[in-house]
Amino acid sequence: MMDSDKLEKIRAAARKTDFNDQRLNELRDRHRGEGGESEGHIAPYMGYSTFLKAPQSTDLDTADVALVGVPFDLGVTNRPGARFGPQQIRGLSAMTTGPMHHESEIIPALLCNYIDYGDVALENTYNLEAGIEEIERYFQRLVDADV
């Protein structure tokens, strides 16, 4: 049986909420409710996947950066599957180790407001030229919104 003092020390360490990097504390505090409880934290294996756990939104008024998927693979020969890329990248990015890049130590969420804007909803999946025109029109909306 484990010593009760040792067990309490382990439990106290598990409850630790301060990070050594003050910027991570700032980011954590942004996601806390008025009562101090964590809001918006979803384990990587729960909920829907967005790119780097960015909020899923179509509101361009508050976004500095919109992350957009383009599920399109008509521009390649004998390499189908690129259309599944955005979905796979979102799923894999959910498993990142945290909000800070391990080499540059940059925390994107402290530099800008970014959203996962979703995928370009293509109607022309069998016509390369028409598909490219649709993609251009889609991104023009983002340019027009200054995002």
Side-chain angles (χ1 to χ4, degrees), residues 79-91:
R79 297 243 186 225
R83 63 185 170 262
F84 300 111
Q87 182 183 47
Q88 292 299 310
I89 289 170
R90 284 184 179 100

Side-chain angles (χ1 to χ4, degrees), residues 11-146:
R11 287 180 176 157
R15 288 190 298 266
K16 181 182 176 195
T17 58
D18 284 340
F19 296 100
N20 292 332
D21 188 320
Q22 199 55 35
R23 297 171 306 153
L24 291 172
N25 290 325
E26 179 185 335
L27 183 64
R28 179 210 53 221
D29 292 344
R30 282 187 185 181
H31 297 286
R32 291 224 168 158
E34 289 182 22
E37 69 279 358
S38 178
E39 288 183 350
H41 172 74
I42 298 175
Y45 48 84
M46 295 172 62
Y48 55 85
S49 294
T50 62
F51 186 69
L52 295 175
K53 301 180 190 119
Q56 186 177 31
S57 177
T58 55
D59 180 13
L60 297 176
D61 293 335
T62 60
D64 299 314
V65 175
L67 306 165
V68 180
V70 183
F72 191 66
D73 59 9
L74 280 184
V76 298
T77 305
N78 298 321
R79 297 243 186 225
R83 63 185 170 262
F84 300 111
Q87 182 183 47
Q88 292 299 310
I89 289 170
R90 284 184 179 100
L92 291 172
S93 76
M95 300 305 290
T96 58
T97 58
M100 180 170 65
H101 188 273
H102 67 283
E103 287 291 324
S104 67
E105 297 185 353
I106 291 173
I107 303 172
L110 294 178
L111 300 175
C112 64
N113 182 24
Y114 59 92
I115 60 171
D116 188 325
Y117 195 67
D119 290 341
V120 176
L122 293 161
E123 292 180 18
N124 293 293
T125 56
Y126 296 104
N127 182 319
L128 179 61
E129 290 79 20
I132 290 172
E133 288 175 9
E134 274 187 74
I135 294 166
E136 289 175 347
R137 280 194 305 275
Y138 191 90
F139 278 93
Q140 189 59 51
R141 287 187 291 183
L142 300 176
V143 170
D144 292 344
D146 199 29

